[in-house]
Amino acid sequence: SRDRLSWSWPGARSIREMAETGDFAAFETPDVTAASERVHAYDLESCGWATVDVVTSDYTFDGFPAEVPAGVTSFELDNEGPEVHEIVLLRKNDGVTESFDELLAMPEDEAEGKATFVGVAGPVPAGEGAYLVAELEPGDYLALCFLPVGTTSLDGGPPPEGPPHFMSGMTQEFTVA
């Protein structure tokens, strides 16, 4: 039957499990991961997106150009560092004159309306990768990592009490034109 055929797709089992339990961990299966990787590879090959290859290690981002063209961009993250990292992407709101350093030094409630969250890739354990696809509008952007210094696993235990990686220099500014 048509219903049986539609549920034969490998991800269907994960969808049913998530619907029954409310647990999104059902999507963390080899079948769903492989399907997601195939779709992303197809998108990169067929959709004309810009690609930015970013390598993280020891509180740095390598690979960000000074300028990225406006439009859909896939940030391909490869974590070569010993700690877990992420890319959190923010866009400075139009008319904001403060630097990103000034914004990061402000109390959260004061800085909230001055930058817009664009997306996140990660968290990514050492030796692994992730990606973030975002439609970028012209403006000033900041990539940063909020994970605490000393984060070496995603085992669900309490996070280390170290400062966020961005306080150790894990930030990268770039412009979208």
Side-chain angles (χ1 to χ4, degrees):
S1 79
R2 184 171 185 258
D3 184 49
R4 174 190 261 174
L5 178 63
S6 65
W7 287 106
S8 66
W9 169 66
R13 181 175 40 252
S14 297
I15 292 170
R16 281 194 307 269
E17 184 178 327
M18 190 276 303
E20 292 170 6
T21 67
D23 184 2
F24 283 87
F27 287 95
E28 297 172 7
T29 67
D31 285 345
V32 173
T33 299
S36 178
E37 289 171 1
R38 285 191 307 273
V39 168
H40 185 62
Y42 175 84
D43 289 342
L44 290 174
E45 186 176 307
S46 305
C47 295
W49 298 346
T51 303
V52 176
D53 294 315
V54 178
V55 175
T56 60
S57 62
D58 298 332
Y59 316 124
T60 63
F61 291 114
D62 293 318
F64 275 100
E67 190 171 292
V68 176
V72 179
T73 301
S74 183
F75 295 90
E76 303 291 317
L77 172 62
D78 183 20
N79 184 1
E80 293 183 0
E83 294 190 25
V84 178
H85 292 296
E86 66 184 356
I87 295 176
V88 176
L89 196 59
L90 304 174
R91 180 184 179 276
K92 192 185 302 183
N93 292 344
D94 294 337
V96 172
T97 58
E98 293 91 348
S99 71
F100 277 114
D101 286 338
E102 290 170 324
L103 295 178
L104 291 172
M106 289 179 180
E108 186 176 340
D109 62 333
E110 188 179 335
E112 256 178 18
K114 296 183 182 273
T116 300
F117 173 79
V118 176
V120 63
V124 180
E128 294 187 26
Y131 62 88
L132 162 62
V133 176
E135 183 151 1
L136 304 178
E137 298 176 8
D140 296 324
Y141 286 75
L142 177 68
L144 66 162
C145 182
F146 281 105
L147 296 174
V149 169
T151 303
T152 57
S153 74
L154 298 172
D155 64 5
E161 298 203 18
H165 289 171
F166 78 82
M167 293 184 75
S168 295
M170 197 163 189
T171 63
Q172 183 66 54
E173 292 184 43
F174 63 98
T175 301
V176 173

